[in-house]
């Protein structure tokens, strides 16, 4: 917490800090504790933002998070999807989620951080302190991050190719897709 306060002071950004018991509540969850924690944190952010009279929350996801998410979905979730730059909240009416760093590469953020003498935290939860599959070194995200780095050494355009693959979808060549409850298969029109 102190690092966040120090960073805000260096950047002259006023903060509203509120406490939750989320980390304590997810500490003993065995299946997907990081996912549940993220959902709970987002819910608390929406509620607190509403209390402050805000209609948006901004998350710090950057370009590298986006392309990692695309590959993780394909490789581990058997799905083609991406992280959206902005979206309306499903459960918090009138609220919107924005990702202002969506097109900013992680390396640029790290350069900016270093130039401004800031110190970032990875995660403040007790789960990542443990040697678990969700820890930073052993996570699927870190695995995909390493894979992208390897691919980048062979093809300098790999980042943009992954990113553009989620923008350049030809529905005529997709076996099936869904939008909400609607599902469409190529067999529906195949004669």
């Amino acid at each position: 917490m102190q690092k966040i306060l120090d960073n805000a002071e260096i950047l002259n950004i006023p903060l509203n800090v509120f406490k939750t018991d989320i980390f304590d509540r997810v500490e003993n969850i065995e299946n997907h504790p990081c996912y549940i924690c993220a959902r709970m944190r987002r819910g608390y952010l929406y509620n607190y933002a509403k209390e402050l009279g805000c209609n948006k929350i901004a998350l710090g996801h950057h370009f590298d998070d986006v392309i990692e998410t695309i590959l993780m979905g394909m490789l581990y979730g058997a799905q083609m999807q991406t992280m959206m730059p902005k979206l309306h909240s499903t459960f918090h009416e009138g609220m919107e989620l924005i990702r202002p760093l969506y097109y900013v590469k992680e390396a640029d953020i790290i350069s900016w951080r270093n130039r401004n003498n800031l110190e970032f935290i990875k995660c403040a939860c007790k789960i990542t302190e443990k040697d678990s599959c969700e820890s930073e070194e052993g996570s699927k995200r870190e695995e995909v991050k390493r894979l992208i780095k390897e691919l980048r050494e062979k093809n300098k355009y790999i980042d943009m190719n992954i990113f553009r693959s989620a923008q350049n979808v030809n529905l005529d060549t997709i076996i099936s897709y869904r939008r909400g409850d609607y599902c469409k298969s190529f067999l529906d029109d195949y004669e």
Side-chain angles (χ1 to χ4, degrees):
M1 171 60 87
Q2 191 57 49
K3 288 180 188 179
I4 295 169
L5 296 172
D6 293 343
N7 288 341
E9 186 175 328
I10 289 168
L11 297 170
N12 197 26
I13 296 173
L15 290 182
N16 288 334
V17 177
F18 66 99
K19 294 188 183 264
T20 71
D21 63 350
I22 295 170
F23 292 149
D24 294 331
R25 292 171 64 187
V26 299
E27 184 177 12
N28 296 316
I29 294 175
E30 290 185 29
N31 292 328
H32 313 293
C34 295
Y35 171 77
I36 293 168
C37 181
R39 293 289 303 244
M40 290 176 71
R41 283 183 286 133
R42 197 168 295 168
Y44 274 91
L45 282 172
Y46 275 126
N47 289 332
Y48 192 64
K50 264 191 162 173
E51 284 178 30
L52 294 173
C54 302
N55 64 354
K56 288 179 180 54
I57 64 170
L59 301 182
H61 296 110
H62 49 71
F63 182 82
D64 295 69
D65 291 325
V66 175
I67 64 172
E68 290 161 14
T69 299
I70 292 168
L71 278 186
M72 286 173 55
M74 292 171 66
L75 299 174
Y76 300 110
Q79 58 190 347
M80 179 62 199
Q81 66 178 26
T82 188
M83 185 184 289
M84 300 300 284
K86 65 181 189 172
L87 51 103
H88 296 284
S89 173
T90 307
F91 302 108
H92 301 273
E93 189 176 330
M95 295 296 291
E96 188 177 17
L97 180 146
I98 60 172
R99 294 183 170 102
L101 301 174
Y102 193 83
Y103 294 105
V104 180
K105 293 194 174 195
E106 184 176 33
D108 294 330
I109 294 169
I110 291 169
S111 291
W112 178 83
R113 174 199 68 192
N114 295 342
R115 209 171 22 259
N116 288 284
N117 298 316
L118 302 174
E119 192 174 345
F120 292 171
I121 60 171
K122 285 194 183 273
C123 183
C125 90
K126 297 171 186 171
I127 293 170
T128 57
E129 292 173 1
K130 300 174 188 173
D131 183 25
S132 72
C133 64
E134 297 287 337
S135 72
E136 199 60 34
E137 294 78 31
S139 72
K140 294 298 182 199
R141 182 163 300 276
E142 273 305 306
E143 187 178 313
V144 167
K145 189 182 284 287
R146 286 190 300 271
L147 173 63
I148 293 171
K149 183 179 178 184
E150 280 178 39
L151 294 170
R152 194 180 294 126
E153 291 170 7
K154 297 174 186 165
N155 178 350
K156 66 180 180 178
Y157 303 110
I158 203 72
D159 297 46
M160 285 309 294
N161 288 345
I162 294 168
F163 183 74
R164 288 186 180 132
S165 73
Q167 298 174 337
N168 200 14
V169 177
N170 181 344
L171 294 180
D172 292 333
T173 63
I174 298 294
I175 296 169
S176 67
Y177 67 91
R178 69 171 196 257
R179 182 172 191 140
D181 293 333
Y182 174 76
C183 291
K184 175 78 171 170
S185 168
F186 84 99
L187 291 172
D188 294 343
D189 299 323
Y190 189 81
E191 293 180 22

